[in-house]
Amino acid sequence: MSETLPHAAVGACLDAMPRHAPATQRRGGVVDESAPVQVILVAAAVGILALLVVLPLLAVFTEALRRGVGHYLESFADADTQAAIRLTLMVAGIAVPLNLVFGLAAAWAITKFEFVGKSLLVTLIDVPFSVSPVVSGLVFVLLFGAQGVFGEWLAARDVQIVFAVPGLVLATVFVTVPFVARELIPLMQEQGTSEEEAALTLGASGLRTFLSVTLPNVKWALLYGVLLCNARAMGEFGAVSVVSGHVRGLTNTMPLHVEILYNEYNFVAAFAVASLLAGLALVTLVAKSILEWRGGDQLERSRRI
């Protein structure tokens, strides 16, 4: 027969237990903070967001409209400003589709096939995240500049890459390469290849399988990656600054044009152009929220790896 504790020992154990639950308890694996701690944490988070996000946005729009709506609109009548806007849209319009195609193809190859150099390809996709944009722009100057590796060969054929639109596109493509691929690879790895194998077994071609099975399964993650890629492409400064040459009306994108206007003490025009970039950020934030709402499960799976 099992032994039992004396009544006195049981009473001593009960007396030793805390009368009140601690302020912080773990329920179901989640830390439950007391009300004052929750209020402090929420207030700290809101304060940091207000300081780093809300106040800068308010400052941009306040300075842009400081002399009235008329001066604000006149800032966009400048020929150089219009050229910078067109160039930004052109560069993003070329770089984003290229990264969409590359990211989709790379993710499909990495997750659905086995081949030599697969790990190297994954590493190369992540290189722009670990390299400074200024350094990446300098690499293109060293390769395609007048004194670069291919400089003489390009000059002999009257081809200009650096200090021209091709250089801007190359620099933008490089810094935005990982966005689409990195949204798709974890999701496609989790989905596996069973559905594609079933489609191929039923007689579907490789292209039909890709369009009917693979692509619909990743559409929300793909749109999310394209959204982030486009936002970075339009707002890129470092790499583009190195390869542009800062030629007004020709190679200045919107971020570079803002810098020039600000250095010339043309504050209203500088903040007016900056307000367009801020507006892009707000639109991106709204679109991001919509995508997370519509494809939340798919986007969550894409971040598990």
Side-chain angles (χ1 to χ4, degrees), residues 186-198:
L187 176 62
M188 295 175 76
Q189 282 179 336
E190 182 176 329
Q191 290 175 346
T193 60
S194 58
E195 294 187 20
E196 285 81 359
E197 291 172 354

Side-chain angles (χ1 to χ4, degrees), residues 13-173:
C13 293
L14 293 175
D15 292 337
M17 294 178 64
R19 297 294 182 181
H20 301 283
T24 301
Q25 295 181 345
R26 185 172 295 276
R27 298 177 180 176
V30 179
V31 175
D32 182 21
E33 300 288 354
S34 62
V37 175
Q38 291 179 357
V39 172
I40 293 174
L41 292 176
V42 172
V46 172
I48 293 173
L49 287 176
L51 180 64
L52 299 180
V53 179
V54 178
L55 288 181
L57 285 175
L58 291 177
V60 168
F61 287 101
T62 300
E63 290 295 326
L65 297 170
R66 183 161 54 100
R67 297 176 59 185
V69 177
H71 285 85
Y72 175 82
L73 296 177
E74 287 179 4
S75 301
F76 300 107
D78 180 66
D80 292 337
T81 299
Q82 294 178 358
I85 295 173
R86 288 194 300 268
L87 182 60
T88 301
L89 295 176
M90 179 191 301
V91 171
I94 298 173
V96 173
L98 289 177
N99 277 329
L100 186 155
V101 174
F102 170 79
L104 191 56
W108 191 36
I110 290 170
T111 58
K112 307 299 182 181
F113 303 97
E114 294 294 334
F115 56 90
V116 177
K118 181 176 178 179
S119 299
L120 178 62
L121 178 58
V122 175
T123 302
L124 291 177
I125 290 175
D126 290 335
V127 166
F129 282 151
S130 58
V131 177
S132 170
V134 175
V135 174
S136 63
L138 182 60
V139 168
F140 289 111
V141 174
L142 295 176
L143 288 176
F144 305 116
Q147 306 300 323
V149 177
F150 304 106
E152 293 184 3
W153 187 86
L154 293 172
R157 290 158 179 79
D158 196 24
V159 177
Q160 187 173 2
I161 293 180
V162 177
F163 309 143
V165 174
L168 302 179
V169 173
L170 285 175
T172 304
V173 168

Side-chain angles (χ1 to χ4, degrees), residues 225-240:
V226 169
L227 178 69
L228 297 180
C229 180
N230 180 69
R232 176 64 187 275
M234 288 191 175
E236 174 56 30
F237 181 86
V240 170

Side-chain angles (χ1 to χ4, degrees), residues 181-225:
R182 268 301 167 192
E183 286 295 326
L184 296 178
I185 290 174
L187 176 62
M188 295 175 76
Q189 282 179 336
E190 182 176 329
Q191 290 175 346
T193 60
S194 58
E195 294 187 20
E196 285 81 359
E197 291 172 354
L200 293 173
T201 302
L202 294 174
S205 63
L207 180 61
R208 179 65 181 275
T209 300
F210 175 77
L211 295 177
S212 301
V213 178
T214 304
L215 195 57
N217 285 341
V218 299
K219 61 180 181 180
W220 295 115
L222 179 62
L223 290 174
Y224 192 82

